[in-house]
Amino acid sequence: MKTVIINGTNHKGSTYRIARNLAEKVGGETVEFFLPHDFGEFCLGCTNCILNSETKCPHHEKLLPITQAISEADLTILSSPTYVYHVTGAMKALLDHYGYIWMAHRPEPGMFKKQAVAITTAAGAGMGSTLKDMADSLFFWGTARVYKLGFAVAAMNWDSINEKKKKKIDKKTNALAKKITRRNGKVKPGFKTKAFFFLMHLMEKNGWNQADSKYWHEKGWTEKNRPWK
């Protein structure tokens, strides 16, 4: 099993520790990226990725290692501490670059058979909106199963978290790791994903964007083919 962890900071804090711990429990090969160290560019809003090709993005080459790692992985973990009720700026900047693989455009077929986890920690509140930032992208990428892990740690670093909370974290990551490994290679998207895909299927039959419409027609998705079959 292959896992890719994308960390929303360079700092190896509580959120990083939980993401890494989950990956170790899942087992197999793990690849990690740290933002903004491994990618720190802001989307320029040029729309080249959507209207033409992702290869036309000014940051395509810098982004390619992360893109390839996501494509090759069975499990994607997006890990970001809560910053003012949302993901870090570096994580948001990364996700902005992947608008072109949303189901409304040109989703990667393999994502419809994969699992992903959004992970965050907060000293207090804001975890729900932070998890939503990451889970929204994972859903619209077509990811078959998306899980969320949020922990109010009441601490500024891992060593300051009390043992009761650490045991709770350990219990939840144990349970999720077992679920992920059990479902590996067997997952299919749920009703919500299939329903949204169907709407896009109708739209792309006579799509306004030639690049998207051509992609959908080539995949056979405007007819009866589906990426999860």
Side-chain angles (χ1 to χ4, degrees):
M1 188 169 182
K2 291 185 178 180
T3 298
V4 57
I5 304 174
I6 303 173
N7 297 287
T9 68
N10 297 328
H11 176 62
K12 295 182 178 180
S14 301
T15 315
Y16 161 80
R17 292 283 293 268
I18 295 167
R20 183 72 200 186
N21 185 250
L22 176 64
E24 289 172 355
K25 289 176 179 178
V26 167
E29 178 186 341
T30 300
V31 177
E32 280 186 292
F33 295 94
F34 293 87
L35 309 176
H37 178 272
D38 295 313
F39 186 81
E41 305 295 335
F42 288 102
C43 173
L44 302 178
C46 65
T47 69
N48 272 324
C49 64
I50 291 174
L51 296 179
N52 299 300
S53 166
E54 63 274 17
T55 62
K56 301 299 182 182
C57 171
H59 309 135
H60 172 70
E61 292 300 322
K62 291 182 180 179
L63 189 60
L64 195 56
I66 298 178
T67 306
Q68 289 177 335
I70 294 172
S71 180
E72 294 169 3
D74 302 297
L75 174 68
T76 298
I77 298 177
L78 298 184
S79 163
S80 174
T82 296
Y83 279 19
V84 291
Y85 273 52
H86 292 285
V87 293
T88 64
M91 177 63 77
K92 180 63 168 64
L94 174 77
L95 296 177
D96 285 346
H97 282 79
Y98 286 126
Y100 73 91
I101 60 170
W102 278 38
M103 282 187 275
H105 299 291
R106 301 187 300 281
E108 168 64 38
M111 296 305 296
F112 293 87
K113 301 176 183 178
K114 297 183 180 185
Q115 302 180 83
V117 187
I119 298 177
T120 192
T121 62
M127 295 176 297
S129 48
T130 302
L131 289 171
K132 187 176 185 300
D133 287 341
M134 295 180 281
D136 279 350
S137 281
L138 293 169
F139 168 77
F140 285 110
W141 292 356
T143 313
R145 289 294 177 95
V146 178
Y147 311 97
K148 300 177 185 177
L149 282 179
F151 299 99
V153 294
M156 299 300 290
N157 56 65
W158 180 257
D159 292 335
S160 300
I161 302 173
N162 67 47
E163 288 304 313
K164 184 178 180 180
K165 284 187 170 65
K166 285 183 178 179
K167 287 180 180 178
K168 181 180 178 180
I169 292 169
D170 187 56
K171 183 178 179 180
K172 286 195 172 184
T173 53
N174 277 337
L176 183 55
K178 289 177 182 178
K179 187 181 292 186
I180 290 169
T181 52
R182 186 173 67 247
R183 292 175 171 175
N184 184 40
K186 304 173 185 177
V187 293
K188 290 186 178 182
F191 175 79
K192 183 180 176 182
T193 302
K194 290 181 177 180
F196 191 82
F197 185 92
F198 179 73
L199 292 175
M200 298 303 100
H201 143 90
L202 295 176
M203 185 182 77
E204 293 299 345
K205 282 191 172 184
N206 297 290
W208 64 272
N209 180 9
Q210 186 176 358
D212 295 346
S213 186
K214 180 182 177 183
Y215 183 85
W216 278 69
H217 280 284
E218 288 177 349
K219 298 292 183 187
W221 294 346
T222 53
E223 302 302 327
K224 295 184 178 180
N225 286 353
R226 296 293 180 265
W228 52 84
K229 293 182 179 179

